[in-house]
Amino acid sequence: MEQEQWINEVLESTAGMKPAIPDARLFAKIQNSIQTENISMRWVWMAAATLLLLVTLNITFVFSTSKKEKTATEVIANDLSKSNQLY
């Protein structure tokens, strides 16, 4: 019973409070202190084109299959690594 009464008192403790009203000059002061710089659209398009080129090159390299012929040294090294026999 005491716990329920304490809960009700806590919940009703803000019943008579008024909301805080901010100062209008404070908002203007904050807005003036924030310096926003506009980025030209030329740089935005350049960044987008660079990103597109990078993605395209990565996709091309991932899906490209190289048909490289193995040299004699690579064939011998491959055979030796399978058997671990040097003679």
Short mmCIF file of all heavy atoms in Angstrom, two decimals, residues 9-42:
data_model
loop_
_atom_site.label_atom_id
_atom_site.label_comp_id
_atom_site.label_asym_id
_atom_site.label_seq_id
_atom_site.Cartn_x
_atom_site.Cartn_y
_atom_site.Cartn_z
N GLU A 9 2.46 9.60 -5.70
CA GLU A 9 3.02 10.89 -5.34
C GLU A 9 4.10 11.32 -6.34
O GLU A 9 4.16 12.48 -6.75
CB GLU A 9 3.62 10.85 -3.93
CG GLU A 9 2.60 10.85 -2.82
CD GLU A 9 3.25 10.76 -1.44
OE1 GLU A 9 4.50 10.82 -1.36
OE2 GLU A 9 2.52 10.61 -0.47
N VAL A 10 4.93 10.37 -6.74
CA VAL A 10 5.99 10.68 -7.69
C VAL A 10 5.38 11.05 -9.05
O VAL A 10 5.80 12.01 -9.70
CB VAL A 10 6.96 9.49 -7.83
CG1 VAL A 10 7.91 9.69 -9.00
CG2 VAL A 10 7.73 9.29 -6.54
N LEU A 11 4.38 10.30 -9.49
CA LEU A 11 3.75 10.57 -10.78
C LEU A 11 3.02 11.90 -10.80
O LEU A 11 2.99 12.59 -11.83
CB LEU A 11 2.79 9.44 -11.15
CG LEU A 11 3.44 8.10 -11.51
CD1 LEU A 11 2.36 7.05 -11.75
CD2 LEU A 11 4.31 8.25 -12.75
N GLU A 12 2.47 12.32 -9.69
CA GLU A 12 1.72 13.56 -9.63
C GLU A 12 2.59 14.75 -9.18
O GLU A 12 2.09 15.87 -9.05
CB GLU A 12 0.53 13.40 -8.69
CG GLU A 12 -0.50 12.42 -9.21
CD GLU A 12 -1.62 12.16 -8.21
OE1 GLU A 12 -1.62 12.81 -7.14
OE2 GLU A 12 -2.48 11.32 -8.50
N SER A 13 3.87 14.54 -8.97
CA SER A 13 4.71 15.61 -8.45
C SER A 13 4.95 16.71 -9.48
O SER A 13 5.27 17.84 -9.12
CB SER A 13 6.06 15.05 -8.00
OG SER A 13 6.77 14.53 -9.11
N THR A 14 4.76 16.45 -10.74
CA THR A 14 4.98 17.46 -11.77
C THR A 14 3.67 18.10 -12.23
O THR A 14 3.66 18.84 -13.22
CB THR A 14 5.67 16.83 -12.99
OG1 THR A 14 4.84 15.79 -13.51
CG2 THR A 14 7.03 16.27 -12.63
N ALA A 15 2.59 17.87 -11.53
CA ALA A 15 1.28 18.35 -11.98
C ALA A 15 1.21 19.87 -12.04
O ALA A 15 0.62 20.43 -12.95
CB ALA A 15 0.19 17.80 -11.07
N GLY A 16 1.80 20.61 -11.15
CA GLY A 16 1.67 22.06 -11.12
C GLY A 16 2.82 22.81 -11.79
O GLY A 16 2.87 24.04 -11.74
N MET A 17 3.72 22.12 -12.44
CA MET A 17 4.89 22.77 -13.03
C MET A 17 4.53 23.41 -14.36
O MET A 17 3.70 22.92 -15.11
CB MET A 17 6.02 21.76 -13.24
CG MET A 17 6.56 21.15 -11.98
SD MET A 17 7.88 20.02 -12.33
CE MET A 17 9.25 21.00 -11.86
N LYS A 18 5.23 24.51 -14.64
CA LYS A 18 5.06 25.19 -15.92
C LYS A 18 6.25 24.83 -16.82
O LYS A 18 7.37 24.67 -16.33
CB LYS A 18 5.04 26.70 -15.72
CG LYS A 18 3.87 27.18 -14.91
CD LYS A 18 3.91 28.68 -14.76
CE LYS A 18 2.76 29.15 -13.89
NZ LYS A 18 2.80 30.60 -13.68
N PRO A 19 6.02 24.70 -18.13
CA PRO A 19 7.14 24.38 -19.02
C PRO A 19 8.11 25.55 -19.12
O PRO A 19 7.71 26.71 -19.01
CB PRO A 19 6.47 24.10 -20.36
CG PRO A 19 5.15 24.77 -20.30
CD PRO A 19 4.75 24.78 -18.84
N ALA A 20 9.35 25.24 -19.34
CA ALA A 20 10.37 26.27 -19.47
C ALA A 20 10.22 26.99 -20.80
O ALA A 20 9.96 26.38 -21.83
CB ALA A 20 11.76 25.64 -19.38
N ILE A 21 10.37 28.31 -20.78
CA ILE A 21 10.26 29.12 -21.99
C ILE A 21 11.65 29.66 -22.31
O ILE A 21 12.22 30.43 -21.53
CB ILE A 21 9.26 30.27 -21.79
CG1 ILE A 21 7.88 29.71 -21.44
CG2 ILE A 21 9.20 31.14 -23.04
CD1 ILE A 21 6.89 30.76 -21.01
N PRO A 22 12.21 29.28 -23.45
CA PRO A 22 13.57 29.74 -23.77
C PRO A 22 13.57 31.20 -24.20
O PRO A 22 12.57 31.73 -24.69
CB PRO A 22 13.98 28.83 -24.93
CG PRO A 22 12.70 28.42 -25.55
CD PRO A 22 11.69 28.36 -24.45
N ASP A 23 14.71 31.82 -24.02
CA ASP A 23 14.88 33.21 -24.41
C ASP A 23 15.03 33.29 -25.93
O ASP A 23 15.76 32.52 -26.54
CB ASP A 23 16.13 33.77 -23.72
CG ASP A 23 16.30 35.26 -23.96
OD1 ASP A 23 15.31 35.93 -24.32
OD2 ASP A 23 17.44 35.74 -23.79
N ALA A 24 14.33 34.22 -26.56
CA ALA A 24 14.38 34.36 -28.02
C ALA A 24 15.76 34.79 -28.49
O ALA A 24 16.21 34.39 -29.57
CB ALA A 24 13.33 35.35 -28.48
N ARG A 25 16.44 35.61 -27.71
CA ARG A 25 17.78 36.06 -28.09
C ARG A 25 18.80 34.92 -28.04
O ARG A 25 19.75 34.91 -28.80
CB ARG A 25 18.22 37.21 -27.18
CG ARG A 25 17.50 38.52 -27.51
CD ARG A 25 18.01 39.62 -26.63
NE ARG A 25 17.37 39.45 -25.31
CZ ARG A 25 17.81 39.97 -24.18
NH1 ARG A 25 18.90 40.68 -24.17
NH2 ARG A 25 17.16 39.77 -23.06
N LEU A 26 18.56 33.97 -27.16
CA LEU A 26 19.47 32.83 -27.05
C LEU A 26 19.45 32.01 -28.35
O LEU A 26 20.50 31.60 -28.85
CB LEU A 26 19.09 31.95 -25.86
CG LEU A 26 19.91 30.68 -25.66
CD1 LEU A 26 21.37 31.03 -25.40
CD2 LEU A 26 19.34 29.86 -24.52
N PHE A 27 18.28 31.78 -28.89
CA PHE A 27 18.17 31.03 -30.14
C PHE A 27 18.89 31.76 -31.27
O PHE A 27 19.61 31.15 -32.06
CB PHE A 27 16.71 30.79 -30.51
CG PHE A 27 16.53 29.99 -31.77
CD1 PHE A 27 16.81 28.64 -31.80
CD2 PHE A 27 16.09 30.60 -32.93
CE1 PHE A 27 16.66 27.91 -32.95
CE2 PHE A 27 15.93 29.88 -34.09
CZ PHE A 27 16.21 28.52 -34.09
N ALA A 28 18.71 33.05 -31.36
CA ALA A 28 19.38 33.84 -32.39
C ALA A 28 20.90 33.81 -32.19
O ALA A 28 21.65 33.72 -33.17
CB ALA A 28 18.87 35.27 -32.36
N LYS A 29 21.34 33.84 -30.95
CA LYS A 29 22.78 33.80 -30.67
C LYS A 29 23.37 32.45 -31.10
O LYS A 29 24.45 32.40 -31.68
CB LYS A 29 23.00 34.02 -29.17
CG LYS A 29 24.44 34.09 -28.77
CD LYS A 29 24.55 34.37 -27.27
CE LYS A 29 26.00 34.40 -26.84
NZ LYS A 29 26.13 34.61 -25.39
N ILE A 30 22.65 31.39 -30.84
CA ILE A 30 23.11 30.06 -31.25
C ILE A 30 23.16 29.96 -32.78
O ILE A 30 24.12 29.44 -33.35
CB ILE A 30 22.21 28.96 -30.65
CG1 ILE A 30 22.39 28.91 -29.14
CG2 ILE A 30 22.52 27.60 -31.27
CD1 ILE A 30 21.42 28.02 -28.42
N GLN A 31 22.14 30.46 -33.44
CA GLN A 31 22.11 30.41 -34.91
C GLN A 31 23.25 31.23 -35.51
O GLN A 31 23.82 30.84 -36.53
CB GLN A 31 20.77 30.95 -35.43
CG GLN A 31 19.61 30.02 -35.22
CD GLN A 31 19.67 28.79 -36.10
OE1 GLN A 31 20.72 28.20 -36.33
NE2 GLN A 31 18.53 28.40 -36.61
N ASN A 32 23.58 32.35 -34.92
CA ASN A 32 24.68 33.17 -35.43
C ASN A 32 26.03 32.51 -35.21
O ASN A 32 26.96 32.73 -35.99
CB ASN A 32 24.66 34.56 -34.79
CG ASN A 32 23.52 35.40 -35.31
OD1 ASN A 32 23.03 35.17 -36.41
ND2 ASN A 32 23.09 36.36 -34.50
N SER A 33 26.15 31.74 -34.15
CA SER A 33 27.44 31.10 -33.88
C SER A 33 27.69 29.90 -34.80
O SER A 33 28.83 29.50 -35.00
CB SER A 33 27.52 30.66 -32.42
OG SER A 33 26.60 29.61 -32.18
N ILE A 34 26.65 29.34 -35.36
CA ILE A 34 26.81 28.22 -36.29
C ILE A 34 27.09 28.80 -37.67
O ILE A 34 26.29 29.52 -38.24
CB ILE A 34 25.53 27.35 -36.34
CG1 ILE A 34 25.25 26.75 -34.98
CG2 ILE A 34 25.67 26.26 -37.39
CD1 ILE A 34 23.93 26.02 -34.91
N GLN A 35 28.26 28.45 -38.16
CA GLN A 35 28.63 28.95 -39.48
C GLN A 35 28.44 27.82 -40.49
O GLN A 35 29.10 26.79 -40.40
CB GLN A 35 30.06 29.44 -39.50
CG GLN A 35 30.30 30.60 -38.57
CD GLN A 35 31.76 30.99 -38.54
OE1 GLN A 35 32.58 30.38 -39.19
NE2 GLN A 35 32.06 32.00 -37.75
N THR A 36 27.56 28.04 -41.44
CA THR A 36 27.34 27.02 -42.46
C THR A 36 27.96 27.48 -43.76
O THR A 36 27.83 28.63 -44.17
CB THR A 36 25.83 26.78 -42.67
OG1 THR A 36 25.22 28.01 -43.03
CG2 THR A 36 25.19 26.23 -41.42
N GLU A 37 28.69 26.58 -44.38
CA GLU A 37 29.31 26.88 -45.66
C GLU A 37 28.63 26.02 -46.72
O GLU A 37 28.45 24.83 -46.54
CB GLU A 37 30.80 26.57 -45.62
CG GLU A 37 31.57 27.47 -44.68
CD GLU A 37 33.05 27.16 -44.70
OE1 GLU A 37 33.51 26.56 -45.67
OE2 GLU A 37 33.71 27.53 -43.74
N ASN A 38 28.29 26.64 -47.81
CA ASN A 38 27.67 25.90 -48.90
C ASN A 38 28.75 25.29 -49.78
O ASN A 38 29.72 25.94 -50.14
CB ASN A 38 26.78 26.82 -49.74
CG ASN A 38 25.58 27.28 -48.96
OD1 ASN A 38 25.13 26.62 -48.05
ND2 ASN A 38 25.05 28.44 -49.31
N ILE A 39 28.55 24.04 -50.13
CA ILE A 39 29.47 23.36 -51.03
C ILE A 39 28.93 23.51 -52.43
O ILE A 39 27.74 23.28 -52.68
CB ILE A 39 29.58 21.87 -50.65
CG1 ILE A 39 30.10 21.73 -49.23
CG2 ILE A 39 30.47 21.12 -51.62
CD1 ILE A 39 30.08 20.33 -48.69
N SER A 40 29.81 23.90 -53.36
CA SER A 40 29.33 24.11 -54.72
C SER A 40 28.94 22.78 -55.34
O SER A 40 29.50 21.73 -55.02
CB SER A 40 30.41 24.80 -55.56
OG SER A 40 31.48 23.90 -55.81
N MET A 41 27.98 22.85 -56.23
CA MET A 41 27.47 21.64 -56.88
C MET A 41 28.54 20.99 -57.74
O MET A 41 28.49 19.78 -57.98
CB MET A 41 26.23 21.96 -57.71
CG MET A 41 25.00 22.25 -56.88
SD MET A 41 24.59 20.90 -55.74
CE MET A 41 24.11 19.63 -56.88
N ARG A 42 29.52 21.74 -58.18
CA ARG A 42 30.60 21.17 -58.98
C ARG A 42 31.34 20.10 -58.18
O ARG A 42 31.64 19.02 -58.69
CB ARG A 42 31.55 22.29 -59.40
CG ARG A 42 32.76 21.81 -60.14
CD ARG A 42 33.65 22.99 -60.55
NE ARG A 42 34.89 22.51 -61.07
CZ ARG A 42 36.07 22.94 -60.71
NH1 ARG A 42 36.16 23.90 -59.82
NH2 ARG A 42 37.16 22.43 -61.23
#
